[in-house]
mmCIF file of all heavy atoms in Angstrom:
data_model
loop_
_atom_site.group_PDB
_atom_site.id
_atom_site.type_symbol
_atom_site.label_atom_id
_atom_site.label_comp_id
_atom_site.label_asym_id
_atom_site.label_seq_id
_atom_site.Cartn_x
_atom_site.Cartn_y
_atom_site.Cartn_z
ATOM 1 N N MET N 112 -38.461 10.811 83.234
ATOM 2 C CA MET N 112 -37.626 9.812 82.604
ATOM 3 C C MET N 112 -36.161 10.238 82.658
ATOM 4 O O MET N 112 -35.295 9.445 83.008
ATOM 5 C CB MET N 112 -38.061 9.609 81.162
ATOM 6 C CG MET N 112 -37.221 8.629 80.410
ATOM 7 S SD MET N 112 -37.865 8.442 78.755
ATOM 8 C CE MET N 112 -36.395 8.026 77.904
ATOM 9 N N TYR N 113 -35.889 11.467 82.276
ATOM 10 C CA TYR N 113 -34.500 11.925 82.289
ATOM 11 C C TYR N 113 -33.956 12.003 83.703
ATOM 12 O O TYR N 113 -32.786 11.713 83.936
ATOM 13 C CB TYR N 113 -34.381 13.281 81.602
ATOM 14 C CG TYR N 113 -34.756 13.233 80.151
ATOM 15 C CD1 TYR N 113 -35.878 13.895 79.674
ATOM 16 C CD2 TYR N 113 -33.994 12.502 79.256
ATOM 17 C CE1 TYR N 113 -36.219 13.837 78.333
ATOM 18 C CE2 TYR N 113 -34.327 12.437 77.916
ATOM 19 C CZ TYR N 113 -35.438 13.108 77.466
ATOM 20 O OH TYR N 113 -35.774 13.046 76.159
ATOM 21 N N ARG N 114 -34.813 12.375 84.648
ATOM 22 C CA ARG N 114 -34.387 12.463 86.035
ATOM 23 C C ARG N 114 -34.037 11.076 86.568
ATOM 24 O O ARG N 114 -33.039 10.909 87.282
ATOM 25 C CB ARG N 114 -35.497 13.104 86.864
ATOM 26 C CG ARG N 114 -35.139 13.279 88.314
ATOM 27 C CD ARG N 114 -33.852 14.000 88.442
ATOM 28 N NE ARG N 114 -34.012 15.188 89.242
ATOM 29 C CZ ARG N 114 -32.981 15.952 89.571
ATOM 30 N NH1 ARG N 114 -31.783 15.664 89.169
ATOM 31 N NH2 ARG N 114 -33.161 17.014 90.275
ATOM 32 N N ALA N 115 -34.832 10.076 86.238
ATOM 33 C CA ALA N 115 -34.556 8.708 86.691
ATOM 34 C C ALA N 115 -33.253 8.202 86.088
ATOM 35 O O ALA N 115 -32.453 7.543 86.768
ATOM 36 C CB ALA N 115 -35.713 7.792 86.320
ATOM 37 N N LEU N 116 -33.016 8.504 84.822
ATOM 38 C CA LEU N 116 -31.766 8.097 84.173
ATOM 39 C C LEU N 116 -30.583 8.800 84.816
ATOM 40 O O LEU N 116 -29.545 8.187 85.066
ATOM 41 C CB LEU N 116 -31.837 8.420 82.674
ATOM 42 C CG LEU N 116 -30.652 8.010 81.820
ATOM 43 C CD1 LEU N 116 -30.432 6.510 81.906
ATOM 44 C CD2 LEU N 116 -30.872 8.425 80.385
ATOM 45 N N TRP N 117 -30.721 10.082 85.090
ATOM 46 C CA TRP N 117 -29.651 10.857 85.716
ATOM 47 C C TRP N 117 -29.324 10.302 87.102
ATOM 48 O O TRP N 117 -28.158 10.163 87.458
ATOM 49 C CB TRP N 117 -30.070 12.321 85.806
ATOM 50 C CG TRP N 117 -29.015 13.218 86.350
ATOM 51 C CD1 TRP N 117 -28.940 13.715 87.612
ATOM 52 C CD2 TRP N 117 -27.873 13.732 85.659
ATOM 53 N NE1 TRP N 117 -27.837 14.505 87.746
ATOM 54 C CE2 TRP N 117 -27.159 14.528 86.569
ATOM 55 C CE3 TRP N 117 -27.396 13.584 84.363
ATOM 56 C CZ2 TRP N 117 -25.993 15.188 86.214
ATOM 57 C CZ3 TRP N 117 -26.231 14.241 84.012
ATOM 58 C CH2 TRP N 117 -25.538 15.034 84.929
ATOM 59 N N ASN N 118 -30.352 9.956 87.874
ATOM 60 C CA ASN N 118 -30.125 9.449 89.227
ATOM 61 C C ASN N 118 -29.587 8.025 89.230
ATOM 62 O O ASN N 118 -28.939 7.612 90.193
ATOM 63 C CB ASN N 118 -31.426 9.506 90.038
ATOM 64 C CG ASN N 118 -31.804 10.927 90.390
ATOM 65 O OD1 ASN N 118 -30.955 11.797 90.483
ATOM 66 N ND2 ASN N 118 -33.081 11.155 90.567
ATOM 67 N N ALA N 119 -29.820 7.261 88.173
ATOM 68 C CA ALA N 119 -29.347 5.880 88.116
ATOM 69 C C ALA N 119 -27.849 5.798 87.817
ATOM 70 O O ALA N 119 -27.216 4.783 88.114
ATOM 71 C CB ALA N 119 -30.127 5.105 87.056
ATOM 72 N N LEU N 120 -27.291 6.856 87.249
ATOM 73 C CA LEU N 120 -25.872 6.840 86.890
ATOM 74 C C LEU N 120 -24.996 7.155 88.099
ATOM 75 O O LEU N 120 -25.336 8.008 88.910
ATOM 76 C CB LEU N 120 -25.597 7.859 85.785
ATOM 77 C CG LEU N 120 -26.240 7.553 84.440
ATOM 78 C CD1 LEU N 120 -26.029 8.714 83.492
ATOM 79 C CD2 LEU N 120 -25.688 6.283 83.855
ATOM 80 N N PRO N 121 -23.848 6.467 88.197
ATOM 81 C CA PRO N 121 -22.943 6.734 89.320
ATOM 82 C C PRO N 121 -22.002 7.898 89.016
ATOM 83 O O PRO N 121 -21.837 8.298 87.868
ATOM 84 C CB PRO N 121 -22.148 5.423 89.415
ATOM 85 C CG PRO N 121 -22.085 4.940 88.005
ATOM 86 C CD PRO N 121 -23.415 5.332 87.389
ATOM 87 N N GLY N 122 -21.387 8.417 90.032
ATOM 88 C CA GLY N 122 -20.324 9.390 89.865
ATOM 89 C C GLY N 122 -20.773 10.833 89.975
ATOM 90 O O GLY N 122 -21.945 11.132 90.159
ATOM 91 N N PRO N 123 -19.789 11.733 89.834
ATOM 92 C CA PRO N 123 -20.086 13.164 89.896
ATOM 93 C C PRO N 123 -20.805 13.640 88.637
ATOM 94 O O PRO N 123 -20.960 12.897 87.661
ATOM 95 C CB PRO N 123 -18.710 13.810 90.028
ATOM 96 C CG PRO N 123 -17.760 12.817 89.469
ATOM 97 C CD PRO N 123 -18.355 11.467 89.727
ATOM 98 N N LYS N 124 -21.219 14.897 88.662
ATOM 99 C CA LYS N 124 -22.013 15.430 87.551
ATOM 100 C C LYS N 124 -21.277 15.369 86.218
ATOM 101 O O LYS N 124 -21.869 15.047 85.196
ATOM 102 C CB LYS N 124 -22.426 16.870 87.849
ATOM 103 C CG LYS N 124 -23.483 16.977 88.894
ATOM 104 C CD LYS N 124 -23.925 18.416 89.095
ATOM 105 C CE LYS N 124 -24.963 18.496 90.183
ATOM 106 N NZ LYS N 124 -25.405 19.862 90.409
ATOM 107 N N TRP N 125 -19.969 15.660 86.214
ATOM 108 C CA TRP N 125 -19.235 15.644 84.949
ATOM 109 C C TRP N 125 -19.160 14.239 84.372
ATOM 110 O O TRP N 125 -19.222 14.060 83.157
ATOM 111 C CB TRP N 125 -17.841 16.257 85.111
ATOM 112 C CG TRP N 125 -16.925 15.472 86.016
ATOM 113 C CD1 TRP N 125 -16.738 15.654 87.341
ATOM 114 C CD2 TRP N 125 -16.103 14.366 85.641
ATOM 115 N NE1 TRP N 125 -15.845 14.740 87.837
ATOM 116 C CE2 TRP N 125 -15.430 13.940 86.810
ATOM 117 C CE3 TRP N 125 -15.852 13.703 84.446
ATOM 118 C CZ2 TRP N 125 -14.537 12.871 86.799
ATOM 119 C CZ3 TRP N 125 -14.956 12.649 84.451
ATOM 120 C CH2 TRP N 125 -14.310 12.245 85.611
ATOM 121 N N ALA N 126 -19.059 13.216 85.232
ATOM 122 C CA ALA N 126 -19.005 11.838 84.747
ATOM 123 C C ALA N 126 -20.364 11.410 84.202
ATOM 124 O O ALA N 126 -20.447 10.731 83.178
ATOM 125 C CB ALA N 126 -18.559 10.896 85.867
ATOM 126 N N ARG N 127 -21.426 11.815 84.880
ATOM 127 C CA ARG N 127 -22.775 11.508 84.397
ATOM 128 C C ARG N 127 -23.021 12.155 83.045
ATOM 129 O O ARG N 127 -23.586 11.529 82.140
ATOM 130 C CB ARG N 127 -23.821 11.995 85.384
ATOM 131 C CG ARG N 127 -23.828 11.274 86.689
ATOM 132 C CD ARG N 127 -24.868 11.871 87.598
ATOM 133 N NE ARG N 127 -24.774 11.322 88.939
ATOM 134 C CZ ARG N 127 -25.630 11.581 89.884
ATOM 135 N NH1 ARG N 127 -26.647 12.381 89.672
ATOM 136 N NH2 ARG N 127 -25.481 11.042 91.073
ATOM 137 N N ALA N 128 -22.598 13.409 82.906
ATOM 138 C CA ALA N 128 -22.777 14.110 81.635
ATOM 139 C C ALA N 128 -21.978 13.433 80.525
ATOM 140 O O ALA N 128 -22.454 13.305 79.397
ATOM 141 C CB ALA N 128 -22.361 15.572 81.783
ATOM 142 N N ALA N 129 -20.763 12.978 80.842
ATOM 143 C CA ALA N 129 -19.948 12.288 79.845
ATOM 144 C C ALA N 129 -20.585 10.962 79.428
ATOM 145 O O ALA N 129 -20.596 10.617 78.238
ATOM 146 C CB ALA N 129 -18.540 12.048 80.399
ATOM 147 N N ILE N 130 -21.118 10.226 80.386
ATOM 148 C CA ILE N 130 -21.771 8.948 80.086
ATOM 149 C C ILE N 130 -22.988 9.174 79.200
ATOM 150 O O ILE N 130 -23.187 8.476 78.196
ATOM 151 C CB ILE N 130 -22.160 8.213 81.384
ATOM 152 C CG1 ILE N 130 -20.915 7.753 82.120
ATOM 153 C CG2 ILE N 130 -23.070 7.035 81.086
ATOM 154 C CD1 ILE N 130 -21.178 7.252 83.532
ATOM 155 N N LEU N 131 -23.815 10.157 79.552
ATOM 156 C CA LEU N 131 -25.005 10.433 78.753
ATOM 157 C C LEU N 131 -24.649 10.968 77.367
ATOM 158 O O LEU N 131 -25.303 10.629 76.383
ATOM 159 C CB LEU N 131 -25.918 11.418 79.487
ATOM 160 C CG LEU N 131 -26.642 10.859 80.700
ATOM 161 C CD1 LEU N 131 -27.451 11.945 81.378
ATOM 162 C CD2 LEU N 131 -27.535 9.705 80.306
ATOM 163 N N GLY N 132 -23.597 11.767 77.283
ATOM 164 C CA GLY N 132 -23.149 12.260 75.977
ATOM 165 C C GLY N 132 -22.661 11.126 75.087
ATOM 166 O O GLY N 132 -22.998 11.059 73.907
ATOM 167 N N ALA N 133 -21.879 10.216 75.668
ATOM 168 C CA ALA N 133 -21.389 9.071 74.908
ATOM 169 C C ALA N 133 -22.541 8.169 74.479
ATOM 170 O O ALA N 133 -22.566 7.672 73.347
ATOM 171 C CB ALA N 133 -20.378 8.285 75.737
ATOM 172 N N ALA N 134 -23.502 7.968 75.360
ATOM 173 C CA ALA N 134 -24.660 7.148 75.011
ATOM 174 C C ALA N 134 -25.461 7.795 73.889
ATOM 175 O O ALA N 134 -25.941 7.107 72.981
ATOM 176 C CB ALA N 134 -25.542 6.924 76.233
ATOM 177 N N GLY N 135 -25.592 9.101 73.924
ATOM 178 C CA GLY N 135 -26.294 9.813 72.853
ATOM 179 C C GLY N 135 -25.596 9.670 71.521
ATOM 180 O O GLY N 135 -26.236 9.446 70.494
ATOM 181 N N VAL N 136 -24.280 9.788 71.525
ATOM 182 C CA VAL N 136 -23.513 9.621 70.291
ATOM 183 C C VAL N 136 -23.664 8.206 69.751
ATOM 184 O O VAL N 136 -23.835 8.000 68.544
ATOM 185 C CB VAL N 136 -22.028 9.976 70.529
ATOM 186 C CG1 VAL N 136 -21.158 9.555 69.370
ATOM 187 C CG2 VAL N 136 -21.885 11.468 70.793
ATOM 188 N N ILE N 137 -23.620 7.220 70.631
ATOM 189 C CA ILE N 137 -23.770 5.827 70.207
ATOM 190 C C ILE N 137 -25.140 5.597 69.577
ATOM 191 O O ILE N 137 -25.259 4.938 68.540
ATOM 192 C CB ILE N 137 -23.524 4.868 71.388
ATOM 193 C CG1 ILE N 137 -22.051 4.887 71.763
ATOM 194 C CG2 ILE N 137 -23.994 3.465 71.076
ATOM 195 C CD1 ILE N 137 -21.724 4.175 73.056
ATOM 196 N N VAL N 138 -26.171 6.153 70.172
ATOM 197 C CA VAL N 138 -27.522 5.996 69.621
ATOM 198 C C VAL N 138 -27.611 6.632 68.240
ATOM 199 O O VAL N 138 -28.164 6.038 67.302
ATOM 200 C CB VAL N 138 -28.573 6.598 70.583
ATOM 201 C CG1 VAL N 138 -29.918 6.741 69.906
ATOM 202 C CG2 VAL N 138 -28.682 5.754 71.832
ATOM 203 N N ILE N 139 -27.056 7.817 68.080
ATOM 204 C CA ILE N 139 -27.097 8.489 66.778
ATOM 205 C C ILE N 139 -26.326 7.697 65.727
ATOM 206 O O ILE N 139 -26.793 7.529 64.591
ATOM 207 C CB ILE N 139 -26.557 9.922 66.905
ATOM 208 C CG1 ILE N 139 -27.542 10.762 67.709
ATOM 209 C CG2 ILE N 139 -26.314 10.551 65.541
ATOM 210 C CD1 ILE N 139 -27.033 12.133 68.083
ATOM 211 N N VAL N 140 -25.165 7.175 66.095
ATOM 212 C CA VAL N 140 -24.368 6.380 65.144
ATOM 213 C C VAL N 140 -25.115 5.114 64.741
ATOM 214 O O VAL N 140 -25.148 4.754 63.555
ATOM 215 C CB VAL N 140 -22.987 6.047 65.750
ATOM 216 C CG1 VAL N 140 -22.275 4.980 64.940
ATOM 217 C CG2 VAL N 140 -22.140 7.296 65.842
ATOM 218 N N LEU N 141 -25.731 4.437 65.694
ATOM 219 C CA LEU N 141 -26.484 3.225 65.367
ATOM 220 C C LEU N 141 -27.670 3.537 64.455
ATOM 221 O O LEU N 141 -27.965 2.765 63.527
ATOM 222 C CB LEU N 141 -26.963 2.537 66.645
ATOM 223 C CG LEU N 141 -25.877 1.861 67.474
ATOM 224 C CD1 LEU N 141 -26.458 1.338 68.783
ATOM 225 C CD2 LEU N 141 -25.203 0.747 66.695
ATOM 226 N N LEU N 142 -28.338 4.652 64.702
ATOM 227 C CA LEU N 142 -29.437 5.049 63.821
ATOM 228 C C LEU N 142 -28.932 5.306 62.406
ATOM 229 O O LEU N 142 -29.539 4.864 61.429
ATOM 230 C CB LEU N 142 -30.129 6.301 64.370
ATOM 231 C CG LEU N 142 -31.053 6.094 65.562
ATOM 232 C CD1 LEU N 142 -31.493 7.440 66.111
ATOM 233 C CD2 LEU N 142 -32.250 5.255 65.178
ATOM 234 N N MET N 143 -27.834 6.026 62.296
ATOM 235 C CA MET N 143 -27.300 6.373 60.976
ATOM 236 C C MET N 143 -26.783 5.143 60.223
ATOM 237 O O MET N 143 -26.890 5.078 59.003
ATOM 238 C CB MET N 143 -26.157 7.384 61.109
ATOM 239 C CG MET N 143 -26.618 8.714 61.580
ATOM 240 S SD MET N 143 -27.624 9.507 60.358
ATOM 241 C CE MET N 143 -27.377 11.197 60.763
ATOM 242 N N MET N 144 -26.227 4.180 60.941
ATOM 243 C CA MET N 144 -25.619 3.025 60.279
ATOM 244 C C MET N 144 -26.619 1.925 59.951
ATOM 245 O O MET N 144 -26.433 1.216 58.956
ATOM 246 C CB MET N 144 -24.494 2.457 61.140
ATOM 247 C CG MET N 144 -23.298 3.362 61.248
ATOM 248 S SD MET N 144 -21.986 2.640 62.226
ATOM 249 C CE MET N 144 -21.459 1.312 61.156
ATOM 250 N N PHE N 145 -27.655 1.753 60.768
ATOM 251 C CA PHE N 145 -28.531 0.604 60.589
ATOM 252 C C PHE N 145 -29.990 0.968 60.325
ATOM 253 O O PHE N 145 -30.600 0.442 59.400
ATOM 254 C CB PHE N 145 -28.447 -0.314 61.823
ATOM 255 C CG PHE N 145 -27.071 -0.875 62.038
ATOM 256 C CD1 PHE N 145 -26.290 -0.422 63.084
ATOM 257 C CD2 PHE N 145 -26.548 -1.827 61.189
ATOM 258 C CE1 PHE N 145 -25.013 -0.915 63.283
ATOM 259 C CE2 PHE N 145 -25.275 -2.339 61.376
ATOM 260 C CZ PHE N 145 -24.505 -1.878 62.427
ATOM 261 N N VAL N 146 -30.552 1.823 61.130
ATOM 262 C CA VAL N 146 -31.989 2.073 61.050
ATOM 263 C C VAL N 146 -32.345 2.914 59.840
ATOM 264 O O VAL N 146 -33.240 2.553 59.062
ATOM 265 C CB VAL N 146 -32.495 2.738 62.352
ATOM 266 C CG1 VAL N 146 -33.964 3.074 62.253
ATOM 267 C CG2 VAL N 146 -32.229 1.830 63.540
ATOM 268 N N PHE N 147 -31.682 4.048 59.644
ATOM 269 C CA PHE N 147 -32.027 4.927 58.535
ATOM 270 C C PHE N 147 -31.793 4.280 57.164
ATOM 271 O O PHE N 147 -32.630 4.433 56.271
ATOM 272 C CB PHE N 147 -31.295 6.254 58.640
ATOM 273 C CG PHE N 147 -31.708 7.081 59.840
ATOM 274 C CD1 PHE N 147 -30.846 8.006 60.381
ATOM 275 C CD2 PHE N 147 -32.947 6.921 60.430
ATOM 276 C CE1 PHE N 147 -31.214 8.770 61.472
ATOM 277 C CE2 PHE N 147 -33.324 7.674 61.526
ATOM 278 C CZ PHE N 147 -32.460 8.610 62.045
ATOM 279 N N PRO N 148 -30.684 3.541 56.949
ATOM 280 C CA PRO N 148 -30.543 2.853 55.661
ATOM 281 C C PRO N 148 -31.628 1.800 55.427
ATOM 282 O O PRO N 148 -32.100 1.629 54.297
ATOM 283 C CB PRO N 148 -29.161 2.197 55.744
ATOM 284 C CG PRO N 148 -28.411 3.048 56.690
ATOM 285 C CD PRO N 148 -29.421 3.494 57.700
ATOM 286 N N LEU N 149 -32.033 1.113 56.472
ATOM 287 C CA LEU N 149 -33.098 0.120 56.346
ATOM 288 C C LEU N 149 -34.409 0.789 55.945
ATOM 289 O O LEU N 149 -35.113 0.313 55.055
ATOM 290 C CB LEU N 149 -33.261 -0.644 57.661
ATOM 291 C CG LEU N 149 -34.346 -1.705 57.689
ATOM 292 C CD1 LEU N 149 -34.011 -2.822 56.714
ATOM 293 C CD2 LEU N 149 -34.505 -2.244 59.085
ATOM 294 N N ILE N 150 -34.731 1.890 56.565
ATOM 295 C CA ILE N 150 -35.938 2.622 56.235
ATOM 296 C C ILE N 150 -35.865 3.154 54.803
ATOM 297 O O ILE N 150 -36.857 3.100 54.056
ATOM 298 C CB ILE N 150 -36.185 3.768 57.241
ATOM 299 C CG1 ILE N 150 -36.519 3.182 58.601
ATOM 300 C CG2 ILE N 150 -37.295 4.695 56.770
ATOM 301 C CD1 ILE N 150 -36.579 4.223 59.710
ATOM 302 N N ASP N 151 -34.699 3.645 54.403
ATOM 303 C CA ASP N 151 -34.528 4.146 53.035
ATOM 304 C C ASP N 151 -34.744 3.026 52.015
ATOM 305 O O ASP N 151 -35.398 3.241 50.998
ATOM 306 C CB ASP N 151 -33.128 4.741 52.884
ATOM 307 C CG ASP N 151 -32.926 5.375 51.525
ATOM 308 O OD1 ASP N 151 -33.849 6.075 51.056
ATOM 309 O OD2 ASP N 151 -31.834 5.188 50.947
ATOM 310 N N ASN N 152 -34.214 1.850 52.283
ATOM 311 C CA ASN N 152 -34.411 0.720 51.369
ATOM 312 C C ASN N 152 -35.870 0.301 51.315
ATOM 313 O O ASN N 152 -36.371 -0.064 50.255
ATOM 314 C CB ASN N 152 -33.542 -0.475 51.802
ATOM 315 C CG ASN N 152 -32.099 -0.258 51.457
ATOM 316 O OD1 ASN N 152 -31.757 0.551 50.609
ATOM 317 N ND2 ASN N 152 -31.237 -0.979 52.142
ATOM 318 N N MET N 153 -36.552 0.358 52.439
ATOM 319 C CA MET N 153 -37.966 -0.020 52.465
ATOM 320 C C MET N 153 -38.820 0.984 51.665
ATOM 321 O O MET N 153 -39.753 0.576 50.994
ATOM 322 C CB MET N 153 -38.449 -0.128 53.901
ATOM 323 C CG MET N 153 -37.886 -1.300 54.665
ATOM 324 S SD MET N 153 -38.268 -1.286 56.417
ATOM 325 C CE MET N 153 -40.039 -1.305 56.394
ATOM 326 N N LEU N 154 -38.469 2.252 51.760
ATOM 327 C CA LEU N 154 -39.247 3.261 51.052
ATOM 328 C C LEU N 154 -38.916 3.306 49.562
ATOM 329 O O LEU N 154 -39.763 3.658 48.747
ATOM 330 C CB LEU N 154 -39.002 4.649 51.678
ATOM 331 C CG LEU N 154 -39.552 4.843 53.079
ATOM 332 C CD1 LEU N 154 -39.149 6.207 53.619
ATOM 333 C CD2 LEU N 154 -41.048 4.673 53.114
ATOM 334 N N SER N 155 -37.668 2.974 49.213
ATOM 335 C CA SER N 155 -37.251 3.016 47.804
ATOM 336 C C SER N 155 -37.752 1.819 47.023
ATOM 337 O O SER N 155 -37.925 1.910 45.806
ATOM 338 C CB SER N 155 -35.726 3.069 47.712
ATOM 339 O OG SER N 155 -35.257 4.261 48.315
ATOM 340 N N ALA N 156 -37.949 0.715 47.665
ATOM 341 C CA ALA N 156 -38.345 -0.519 46.969
ATOM 342 C C ALA N 156 -39.813 -0.546 46.636
ATOM 343 O O ALA N 156 -40.630 0.185 46.948
ATOM 344 C CB ALA N 156 -37.998 -1.731 47.820
#
């Protein structure tokens, strides 16, 4: 899976690493802002 994602990205290795790093940060931020609070509300109620 990671190999397919790596090969699908354009550019040199540093650009691919930057794209994947930014995508990882975006996923973590979305989890922290939307998913985890929703789960917390579901468990607290």
Side-chain angles (χ1 to χ4, degrees):
M112 178 178 151
Y113 297 114
R114 182 53 123 175
L116 183 59
W117 184 258
N118 289 334
L120 294 173
K124 287 184 182 180
W125 65 267
R127 293 178 188 186
I130 292 169
L131 288 177
V136 168
I137 290 170
V138 167
I139 291 171
V140 167
L141 289 174
L142 284 172
M143 292 292 206
M144 292 182 69
F145 298 108
V146 177
F147 294 155
L149 179 65
I150 292 172
D151 185 43
N152 285 340
M153 290 172 59
L154 292 176
S155 297

